[in-house]
Amino acid sequence: MKSITYGELSFQEVCEKIKDYIDMDLQCTYVISIGTDSQNFSGLTKMVSVITLVRKSKGGIFFYDIKRLKIINDLRHKIFVETQYSLELAAKVMAYIQKKEIRAALEVHVDIGEGGDTKYLVKEIAGWVGALGFKCCIKPESYASTGIADKLSKKGSRVGCV
């Protein structure tokens, strides 16, 4: 994974940074949000997954990972792949925070909403995420996917750019 602040990190190092950040102020409320967005470029799909840690009313940090996949043109398929990546990452983060007894809410942010081309997917995707025990956030609350991951997925005109 990568961080604008810390550079290249292993998943374990990301988890340790999350723990360190929370340990700096144990009186605050924390939310860990995981989301994925993608864009198609030059015959490939650039998939960006993000882990954000928000210290309520006092800022936060984020980490991201970029994957390059065979192009996904079907919107429904693309949303399912994005959600799958987010759920896999969320499960790993959940295992870590439970093991370390970290007090933070965990949300999965999905790039869908009640308006627009993805409205027909809301019940299905939200049901999937909820069935796995995660809170599902959709537009406009899904800032990890619709804000951070979206911006990083669009950055650069080629899939190889970050």
Side-chain angles (χ1 to χ4, degrees), residues 64-110:
Y64 64 97
D65 188 45
I66 299 173
K67 292 183 180 13
R68 291 153 186 86
L69 310 172
K70 181 179 174 187
I71 195 162
I72 304 170
N73 287 312
D74 179 71
L75 178 61
R76 183 176 191 277
H77 184 218
K78 189 185 281 191
I79 295 297
F80 270 82
V81 172
E82 291 173 3
T83 305
Q84 177 183 353
Y85 277 117
S86 293
L87 287 169
E88 289 170 358
L89 194 53
K92 289 170 62 176
V93 171
M94 179 62 80
Y96 180 84
I97 66 173
Q98 287 176 338
K99 179 181 176 184
K100 297 293 183 174
E101 299 179 356
I102 294 171
R103 291 184 340 147
L106 183 65
E107 303 173 344
V108 173
H109 289 200
V110 186

Side-chain angles (χ1 to χ4, degrees), residues 1-3 6-24 32 34 51-53 61-64 88-104 106:
M1 298 201 79
K2 296 178 183 163
S3 164
Y6 303 109
E8 289 278 340
L9 299 166
S10 68
F11 178 76
Q12 183 64 33
E13 290 170 324
V14 167
C15 290
E16 289 167 8
K17 295 291 184 194
I18 289 170
K19 184 177 183 331
D20 293 345
Y21 193 84
I22 291 172
D23 286 346
M24 287 191 310
I32 299 170
I34 297 168
I51 301 172
T52 67
L53 173 61
I61 57 175
F62 74 92
F63 307 90
Y64 64 97
E88 289 170 358
L89 194 53
K92 289 170 62 176
V93 171
M94 179 62 80
Y96 180 84
I97 66 173
Q98 287 176 338
K99 179 181 176 184
K100 297 293 183 174
E101 299 179 356
I102 294 171
R103 291 184 340 147
L106 183 65

